[in-house]
Amino acid sequence: MPSCDAIVIGGGTNGLVSAFRLQKSGRKVMLLESHSEVGGAATARGANISLPLAHLVNKLDQRVEAKMNLSAHGLRWLNANVPTTVLSHTGNHLTLSGAAGEVLGGDASADEQAAWNKLRARLMHFAQLLAPFKEMPPPRLARHGNNNWLKLAQTGLKLRTMGKREMREFMRLLLINVYDVLEDELSNPLLKGVLAFDATLGSWLGPRSPNSLILLLDRLAGQVGGQQGALALPAGGAASVALAMAASTRAAGVEIRTGASVSRVLVENDRAAGVVLAGGEEIRAPIVVSAISPKTTFLSLVGHQFLDTGFANRIRHQKSRGAAAKLHLKLKAEPSFKGAELKSRLVIAPSSEAVELAYNPVKYGEVPEAPVMEIVIPSAFEDGPHSLSAIVQYAPHDPVMGKDRARKAMLANTLVQLERHTSGIGKLISHAELLMPYDIEER
């Protein structure tokens, strides 16, 4: 039977980086991916339209980009700082350009720009203070947790040197909801709408949910190409990031096996000893790293018999509900969003209240009448067939009306929202595909 020093289960971007680092440490590494292509959500495409689930990049650790030398393996940025256009059905759009929307344009007054400058500076500063925590393992409370106490102390000291007033404000914002902050500081509904949308994108939270502001800080702490708060679009789409990682990982010497589905983790003497593939093949290794869902890893691959009952229950009850759907449209011609610049991220989020109203029905397993969404027109950035890619919120994870009916209702309501903000996009659609959270989870 084959053997190696370490096995990585899952060929998404996290798995690729893990395999690369282990290989560079001097180990012989094998990466196992059940699908025919590595990359996870970055390369997973629609069933009938060749668009990936991911369409923009806003968090790419600079250390990963540099150490994996991704530029030498094919990564090229079409736009390293994509602007945002918040759509208005009247055509009075709001634009945000520069990192984290530094400059407002369109339907924004000088007073609103001043108010945003003040709030943005504070949010960016607080995000910078949180950024170091993203570069270190989460602290462990165990006696021998091997924590990096020096780095933790240095980060804590930076927080302490803010002064009592700023420290108090920092702690207040960490625990507050984003809706209240936006209502207190800003007046433009489109600006409040896009910030509320960004804070809750991909989460099971609405703008009024407690602790929703910290998600905005986490987003602002992200970086691309060393620029904090930037949104980037690589040539060839988000899949190019994963493909460059895969090329770098292979060049480092990692053996990548696709179509290799792991059925269980071998456990001997209370330690991982390798894996068994779906076809029965055993692969031995003293180190097994899982880059897939914790629930699948522990409850399906490892098994209850090897787990403490309390730990198994905590994993089983871990909340991992998705609330975002993915829309793919094949178009006959380039769409028009009432004068909006197509070479930007287009957002439909009329106000923070509208984002909250889109979230409320989903809590009860229902489809929102007016979903909010983030839109990218890939063909506006580089040559290719006319298409539209959108992340739509919120979508029920376990719909009361049944999965098929919910998918149809969600698609219909999403197209109504699009039609309201475009000049007849319905006539341009040759094919539409909507992947609900449960469709994405199944893949």
Side-chain angles (χ1 to χ4, degrees):
M1 67 184 70
S3 65
C4 53
D5 297 321
I7 294 170
V8 176
I9 304 172
T13 52
N14 290 326
L16 289 167
V17 174
S18 296
F20 176 87
R21 290 195 63 188
L22 284 166
Q23 185 75 26
K24 284 295 185 179
S25 70
R27 297 176 173 91
K28 179 184 176 184
V29 182
M30 182 183 295
L31 183 145
L32 303 173
E33 168 58 47
S34 61
H35 291 89
S36 60
E37 186 178 26
V38 295
T43 54
R45 299 181 181 275
N48 301 302
I49 300 178
S50 186
L51 289 174
L53 296 178
H55 57 205
L56 286 171
V57 179
N58 89 306
K59 292 177 183 177
L60 181 57
D61 194 306
Q62 195 173 5
R63 297 169 301 172
V64 170
E65 190 172 359
K67 290 183 178 180
M68 296 187 78
N69 199 7
L70 297 183
S71 60
H73 292 282
L75 180 60
R76 181 173 61 86
W77 301 108
L78 285 176
N79 191 329
N81 205 343
V82 179
T84 293
T85 301
V86 195
L87 300 173
S88 167
H89 69 276
T90 64
N92 294 321
H93 311 307
L94 175 71
T95 60
L96 295 86
S97 56
E102 184 177 7
V103 179
L104 301 180
D107 190 24
S109 66
D111 288 343
E112 188 72 349
Q113 177 72 69
W116 169 232
N117 287 346
K118 181 180 178 182
L119 176 60
R120 179 185 174 278
R122 174 164 283 177
L123 293 177
M124 292 291 276
H125 177 56
F126 290 162
Q128 284 179 333
L129 294 173
L130 289 175
F133 290 106
K134 299 165 69 68
E135 298 180 357
M136 66 177 80
R140 299 183 63 186
L141 299 181
R143 177 180 294 179
H144 302 292
N146 293 323
N147 294 317
N148 188 339
W149 293 114
L150 178 60
K151 194 166 185 178
L152 284 169
Q154 290 173 337
T155 305
L157 184 61
K158 285 183 180 179
L159 295 175
R160 191 69 185 89
T161 55
M162 286 194 298
K164 185 180 294 185
R165 183 175 179 179
E166 280 296 283
M167 185 66 176
R168 187 182 296 120
E169 181 67 6
F170 176 70
M171 297 304 298
R172 182 182 76 88
L173 290 179
L174 285 183
L175 303 174
I176 203 170
N177 67 72
V178 69
Y179 182 93
D180 287 345
V181 173
L182 298 177
E183 289 299 307
D184 289 344
E185 304 289 342
L186 304 172
S187 59
N188 187 294
L190 293 179
L191 180 56
K192 290 189 286 186
V194 70
L195 293 171
F197 177 84
D198 283 348
T200 55
L201 182 60
S203 72
W204 191 269
L205 293 175
R208 285 179 170 167
S209 302
N211 306 319
S212 54
L213 183 77
I214 195 172
L215 298 182
L216 181 60
L217 294 178
D218 177 67
R219 183 180 177 88
L220 295 177
Q223 59 174 300
V224 181
Q227 188 167 18
Q228 181 188 353
L231 279 169
L233 181 68
S240 297
V241 177
L243 296 177
M245 286 182 175
S248 176
T249 302
R250 285 191 176 96
V254 174
E255 180 182 354
I256 297 179
R257 292 180 59 176
T258 57
S261 179
V262 176
S263 63
R264 65 186 175 93
V265 173
L266 287 171
V267 179
E268 297 175 355
N269 299 319
D270 291 329
R271 291 186 61 86
V275 300
V276 179
L277 301 185
E281 179 185 1
E282 285 190 12
I283 305 173
R284 312 286 296 191
I287 298 174
V288 178
V289 177
S290 176
I292 62 174
S293 159
K295 286 187 176 181
T296 302
T297 300
F298 289 109
L299 303 183
S300 298
L301 301 187
V302 175
H304 295 79
Q305 67 270 31
F306 299 110
L307 302 175
D308 175 82
T309 301
F311 177 80
N313 286 334
R314 288 196 298 274
I315 290 293
R316 187 182 297 108
H317 295 134
Q318 184 187 56
K319 293 180 179 179
S320 54
R321 297 167 294 185
K326 187 68 199 298
L327 174 69
H328 299 147
L329 296 181
K330 188 182 294 183
L331 304 173
K332 301 173 185 175
E334 188 173 81
S336 171
F337 285 83
K338 300 183 180 179
E341 172 56 62
L342 295 186
K343 286 188 176 182
S344 66
R345 177 181 74 132
L346 307 171
V347 175
I348 297 179
S351 65
S352 51
E353 185 70 26
V355 180
E356 183 70 26
L357 290 175
Y359 171 63
N360 285 338
V362 176
K363 292 184 289 187
Y364 309 103
E366 299 172 354
V367 172
E369 289 187 11
V372 291
M373 65 194 80
E374 171 187 274
I375 304 163
V376 173
I377 310 295
S379 50
F381 290 90
E382 55 186 337
D383 293 337
H386 296 294
S387 58
L388 179 148
S389 171
I391 300 174
V392 186
Q393 290 201 155
Y394 293 86
H397 182 273
D398 189 17
V400 294
M401 67 174 67
K403 293 181 177 180
D404 290 339
R405 285 184 59 198
R407 190 185 298 108
K408 291 179 181 178
M410 190 76 191
L411 176 59
N413 292 354
T414 301
L415 293 180
V416 168
Q417 273 285 70
L418 277 173
E419 191 70 37
R420 190 163 183 256
H421 292 83
T422 63
S423 304
I425 195 172
K427 298 178 182 178
L428 301 179
I429 299 173
S430 59
H431 188 77
E433 175 184 75
L434 184 75
L435 299 173
M436 294 289 276
Y438 40 86
D439 298 320
I440 296 171
E441 181 180 4
E442 185 177 347
R443 293 191 179 201

